[in-house]
């Protein structure tokens, strides 16, 4: 009855291996728990006839035995529940951690296409559901199923004809359950997809709320949100309706089954094949069966929902991954920072290349400004230098090492990026500068000094321990940029990639950032996507990119003198700056 897709949970089994001892102890308790039911059934067979024989000492003796069996059973149940909870939770934690690790290595192009809200939902809600199902399966479904098998076996031994009749009824019930289960799963998957979409929209909406307000687009967003939640409600309603129908139908079948059994039992006693003691055990067995049947039925539904969640989680695994490091990677020593690009061709898709045969040589310590219209390929060039992407032909050499022959993490320790829009994680300023690297306090302070950030950081009451709020919203734009510069120069990278911020800072803040930048750039090879005239003029080399090709290169004076594309760009910017003044 299991579909191939349901093998999902089976694939989690290897994750249980490290917890084998605890599982074995838990299962031992489970066996005691299940066996106790057989003892109780046997006892019931003795007890009920004794009640009618008025043999009080025997009845008391049997009751005491019953209490003792119950005590052992409850103790075993406690052992089973507590021993099995740990492994189930650890497995789901492992699953979450594995998926997050996987997410960290998803190719950046693919990552950009994923919705943050949707991913968050998967790694929280879906992972929780999987964890819940896993826990229930181990500590509830398995003992219930075992109890079902053991009690049924005992009943077969008591009267196989009667039990045979019951067993014939079982497939009907199972068929009905699975019929509903498949539908419940499909409906749940649809409803979960809706919640994911809702989370995606919410993520976008929260980010874009100021913009929405600026455009007075609140009614539009409200309407979009309401349409999403309406679709979500409908999807949920369908699941609830199915579950509502399932309970009475399955319940009815069970009741009809039970009455049929009672009728058959009466016939077996009449014909003398079943004793009163046997019937007592038998009927107690039937009562004892109701609970595990209910558990297995309910858990089966949850299992279906868990399958849907697990499948959604597993989709993350199918996202394309960053290319692995070459097995014979060259270890990187201290670098000077000589950079050479030879006929570099790169395209994101099979169609038009974004960079057409770029040749560029930068000596260690030089500053090169990349200028050109938006879409020219400047950021793409940065992504190649960080090895977020690899070029299709040509090569990039750093101190003579082909980038594609290096370990990505080692390379990235030598290539530091100051992005246009700085993001920081919530935490202290010192943590933001360290960004997971091991560096002493003195090194952090040194980096901050270089970035012209030390003084303002110290002016905060808690200094380097000042907590940055999400996205650094409690410091100014200029301060955040200086933190980003300190973060980049910590570890003394050989190559600094600078994407100048275009958003206007006030003159004072801008000057402070410039001081930091100038110090950070000293004695380092720097590639800067330049928007400010000052940076461009001071660069050793200016490279004008257009539609993925270098159309002009030289110093500011040379290029102004030549009067090519660069001069046009400068004049246009000069006029724009004049107009903005
Ligand atoms: P610039 O930084 O000069 O503005 P980019 O390097 O961002 O230019 O973009 C160069 C070209 O590559 C543009 O045509 C852009 O649309 C395209 N491009 C950028 N990123 C991607 C991507 N992840 N997938 C497909 N095309 C992209």
């Amino acid at each position: 009855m299991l579909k191939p897709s349901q093998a999902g949970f089976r694939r989690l089994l290897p994750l249980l291996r490290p917890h084998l001892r605890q599982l074995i102890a838990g299962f031992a308790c489970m066996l005691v728990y299940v066996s106790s039911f057989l003892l109780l059934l046997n006892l019931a067979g003795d007890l009920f006839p004794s009640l009618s024989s008025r043999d009080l000492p025997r009845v008391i003796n049997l009751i005491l035995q019953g209490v003792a069996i119950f005590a052992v059973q409850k103790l075993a149940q406690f052992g089973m529940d507590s021993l099995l909870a740990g492994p189930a939770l650890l497995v789901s934690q492992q699953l979450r951690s594995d998926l997050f690790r996987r997410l960290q290595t998803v190719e950046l192009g693919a990552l950009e296409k994923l919705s943050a809200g949707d991913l968050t939902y998967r790694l929280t809600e879906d992972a929780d559901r999987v964890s819940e199902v896993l826990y229930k399966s181990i500590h509830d479904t398995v003992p219930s199923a075992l109890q079902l098998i053991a009690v049924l076996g005992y009943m077969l031994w008591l009267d196989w004809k009667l039990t045979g009749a019951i067993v014939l009824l079982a497939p009907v019930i199972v068929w009905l359950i699975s019929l509903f289960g498949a539908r419940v799963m499909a409906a749940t998957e649809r409803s979960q997809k809706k919640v994911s979409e809702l989370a995606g929209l919410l993520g976008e909406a929260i980010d874009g709320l100021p913009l929405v307000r600026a455009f007075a687009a609140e009614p539009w967003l409200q309407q979009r949100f309401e349409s999403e939640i309406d679709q979500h409600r409908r999807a949920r309603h369908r699941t609830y309706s199915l579950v509502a129908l399932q309970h009475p139908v399955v319940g009815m079948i069970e009741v009809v089954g039970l009455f049929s059994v009672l009728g058959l039992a009466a016939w077996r006693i009449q014909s003398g094949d079943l004793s009163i003691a046997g019937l007592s055990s038998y009927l107690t067995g039937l009562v004892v069966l109701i609970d595990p049947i209910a558990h297995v039925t309910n858990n089966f539904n949850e299992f279906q929902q868990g399958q849907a969640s697990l499948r959604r989680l597993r989709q993350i695994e199918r996202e394309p991954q960053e290319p692995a490091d070459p097995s014979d990677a060259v270890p990187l020593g201290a670098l000077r920072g000589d950079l050479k690009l030879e006929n570099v061709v790169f395209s994101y898709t099979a169609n038009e290349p974004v960079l057409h045969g770029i040749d560029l040589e930068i000596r260690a310590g030089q500053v090169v400004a990349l200028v050109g219209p938006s879409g020219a390929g400047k950021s793409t060039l940065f992504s190649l230098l960080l090895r977020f992407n690899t070029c299709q032909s040509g090569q990039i050499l750093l101190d003579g090492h082909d980038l594609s022959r290096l370990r990505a993490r080692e390379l990235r320790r030598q290539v530091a990026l100051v992005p246009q829009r700085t993001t920081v994680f919530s935490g202290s300023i010192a943590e933001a500068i360290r960004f997971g690297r091991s560096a002493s306090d003195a090194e952090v302070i040194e980096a901050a000094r270089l970035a012209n950030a030390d003084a303002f950081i110290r002016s905060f009451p808690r200094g380097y321990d000042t907590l940055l709020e999400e996205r650094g919203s409690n410091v100014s734009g200029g301060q955040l940029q200086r933190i980003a510069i300190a973060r980049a120069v910590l570890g003394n990278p050989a190559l600094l990639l600078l994407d100048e911020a275009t958003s206007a800072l006030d003159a004072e803040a801008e000057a402070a950032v410039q001081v930091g930048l100038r110090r950070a750039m000293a004695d380092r090879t720097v590639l800067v996507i330049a928007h400010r005239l000052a940076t461009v003029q001071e660069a050793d080399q200016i490279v004008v990119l257009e539609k993925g090709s270098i159309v002009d290169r030289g110093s500011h004076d040379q290029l102004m003198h030549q009067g090519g594309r660069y001069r046009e760009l400068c004049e246009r910017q000069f006029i724009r700056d004049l107009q903005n003044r």
Side-chain angles (χ1 to χ4, degrees):
M1 198 172 42
L2 284 178
K3 294 186 196 124
S5 63
Q6 289 172 340
F9 273 99
R10 228 175 291 155
R11 281 184 51 202
L12 295 182
L13 290 182
L15 297 180
L16 284 171
R17 200 164 296 143
H19 317 293
L20 213 54
R21 264 194 197 174
Q22 205 168 334
L23 283 172
I24 290 174
F27 282 121
C29 290
M30 191 185 286
L31 285 183
V32 174
Y33 172 77
V34 172
S35 315
S36 68
F37 281 102
L38 302 184
L39 291 178
L40 284 174
L41 294 189
N42 201 25
L43 198 72
D46 288 342
L47 182 64
F48 291 115
S50 305
L51 284 175
S52 53
S53 72
R54 305 185 186 193
D55 183 353
L56 198 59
R58 182 167 163 72
V59 169
I60 291 175
N61 185 2
L62 288 172
I63 286 177
L64 286 177
Q65 279 184 40
V67 170
I69 296 172
F70 266 118
V72 171
Q73 184 190 60
K74 295 302 155 201
L75 211 63
Q77 191 175 19
F78 169 72
M80 172 176 98
D81 286 351
S82 53
L83 284 167
L84 296 180
L89 288 171
L90 283 168
V91 165
S92 64
Q93 181 180 342
Q94 187 64 44
L95 176 71
R96 241 184 209 153
S97 149
D98 288 350
L99 287 173
F100 192 68
R101 185 170 299 117
R102 194 91 181 162
L103 188 65
Q104 294 225 58
T105 52
V106 167
E107 213 176 67
L108 284 182
L111 196 63
E112 278 164 16
K113 292 195 193 94
L114 299 172
S115 144
D118 180 29
L119 279 177
T120 310
Y121 180 84
R122 287 182 200 213
L123 281 166
T124 50
E125 297 290 321
D126 279 330
D128 256 350
R129 181 159 288 149
V130 169
S131 158
E132 190 67 18
V133 168
L134 207 60
Y135 174 59
K136 277 223 168 128
S137 299
I138 295 181
H139 102 295
D140 192 24
T141 313
V142 173
S144 295
L146 275 182
Q147 188 179 334
L148 210 68
I149 294 168
V151 173
L152 265 178
Y154 186 79
M155 286 161 74
L156 266 173
W157 174 73
L158 275 175
D159 187 338
W160 67 269
K161 283 186 187 162
L162 190 50
T163 312
I166 297 172
V167 169
L168 282 182
L169 277 175
V172 181
I173 298 175
V174 171
W175 175 70
L176 265 169
I177 295 168
S178 68
L179 193 73
F180 272 97
R183 296 198 173 179
V184 169
M185 175 159 88
T188 308
E189 206 161 348
R190 268 197 301 276
S191 116
Q192 245 133 281
K193 190 161 162 269
K194 286 283 151 215
V195 185
S196 263
E197 284 170 12
L198 193 64
L201 176 65
L202 265 178
E204 266 183 295
I206 291 166
D207 254 2
L209 223 45
L211 200 65
V212 167
R213 214 165 283 177
F215 278 82
E218 294 96 333
W220 164 81
L221 185 59
Q222 185 71 24
Q223 202 181 12
R224 227 180 117 176
F225 185 70
E226 271 164 22
S227 144
E228 283 285 342
I229 54 176
D230 192 51
Q231 286 177 35
H232 166 236
R233 178 192 55 82
R234 280 169 208 270
R236 266 280 151 89
H237 197 182
R238 177 146 173 75
T239 318
Y240 290 166
S241 309
L242 273 173
V243 172
L245 195 62
Q246 181 180 31
H247 286 163
V249 172
V250 173
M252 200 56 214
I253 291 283
E254 282 169 359
V255 167
V256 169
L258 194 66
F259 280 111
S260 318
V261 171
L262 284 177
L264 284 166
W267 161 68
R268 300 289 296 153
I269 286 176
Q270 288 260 306
S271 66
D273 291 321
L274 192 64
S275 66
I276 292 292
L279 181 68
S280 306
S281 291
Y282 204 92
L283 290 183
T284 316
L286 273 186
V287 174
V288 169
L289 272 187
I290 292 173
D291 223 24
I293 288 180
H295 281 226
V296 170
T297 318
N298 287 338
N299 292 354
F300 188 70
N301 276 347
E302 283 189 35
F303 185 75
Q304 300 277 19
Q305 297 181 357
Q307 285 287 350
S309 287
L310 189 60
R311 208 170 313 147
R312 286 162 43 76
L313 275 177
R314 291 278 191 196
Q315 275 167 4
I316 298 176
E317 286 182 347
R318 286 199 284 276
E319 293 297 334
Q321 295 281 301
E322 271 209 322
D325 288 326
S327 51
D328 53 347
V330 191
L332 264 188
L335 290 180
R336 292 185 308 279
D338 285 321
L339 188 66
K340 196 168 179 191
L341 282 83
E342 287 175 350
N343 197 19
V344 169
V345 176
F346 174 76
S347 57
Y348 286 102
T349 52
N351 314 330
E352 181 72 350
V354 172
L355 297 175
H356 314 258
I358 301 283
D359 282 308
L360 187 62
E361 190 163 356
I362 308 172
R363 281 198 311 280
Q366 276 196 333
V367 175
V368 171
L370 288 176
V371 296
S374 130
K378 303 182 293 291
S379 314
T380 303
L381 200 58
F382 273 20
S383 79
L384 292 181
L385 292 172
L386 282 160
R387 229 181 75 189
F388 290 163
N389 292 304
T390 31
C391 47
Q392 273 92 21
S393 72
Q395 56 180 358
I396 304 177
L397 304 166
L398 184 59
D399 279 13
H401 301 293
D402 186 341
L403 290 201
S404 61
R405 319 271 336 130
L406 302 175
R407 286 190 196 92
R409 284 172 60 81
E410 239 176 274
L411 167 73
R412 288 170 193 157
R413 293 222 179 260
Q414 293 288 340
V415 183
L417 174 74
V418 180
Q420 200 170 54
R421 257 186 71 193
T422 297
T423 39
V424 286
F425 281 74
S426 47
S428 74
I429 292 185
E431 280 166 354
I433 294 175
R434 274 200 188 95
F435 211 8
R437 293 164 292 186
S438 55
S440 67
D441 288 348
E443 285 166 325
V444 169
I445 293 169
E446 178 54 32
R449 268 205 197 116
L450 210 64
N452 195 23
D454 182 60
F456 88 76
I457 295 173
R458 283 180 197 276
S459 73
F460 295 139
R462 294 187 58 195
Y464 281 83
D465 293 329
T466 306
L467 289 181
L468 290 171
E469 280 165 16
E470 212 179 324
R471 298 193 194 110
S473 55
N474 57 338
V475 292
S476 76
Q479 289 172 338
L480 199 58
Q481 270 185 11
R482 284 183 273 161
I483 291 174
I485 296 167
R487 177 174 69 188
V489 295
L490 183 85
N492 199 18
L495 182 60
L496 185 65
L497 304 180
L498 195 64
D499 196 350
E500 277 189 337
T502 40
S503 57
L505 294 175
D506 62 63
E508 201 178 330
E510 162 115 33
V513 172
Q514 282 299 335
V515 171
L517 273 179
R518 215 160 272 148
R519 287 195 214 146
M521 286 157 79
D523 302 325
R524 240 183 276 281
T525 309
V526 182
L527 235 85
V528 45
I529 297 181
H531 303 286
R532 299 182 177 103
L533 269 176
T535 320
V536 182
Q537 284 176 16
E538 284 171 22
D540 298 301
Q541 204 183 153
I542 297 161
V543 171
V544 185
L545 261 184
E546 227 172 60
K547 293 190 184 136
S549 300
I550 297 180
V551 294
D552 240 347
R553 69 175 95 200
S555 70
H556 174 75
D557 292 340
Q558 280 170 349
L559 291 178
M560 286 306 268
H561 189 69
Q562 276 172 19
R565 283 295 283 143
Y566 177 71
R567 194 159 120 186
E568 258 175 60
L569 282 171
C570 275
E571 281 163 0
R572 218 181 293 159
Q573 188 174 12
F574 183 62
I575 294 168
R576 203 168 48 220
D577 285 352
L578 275 183
Q579 285 169 343
N580 286 346
R581 223 160 254 172

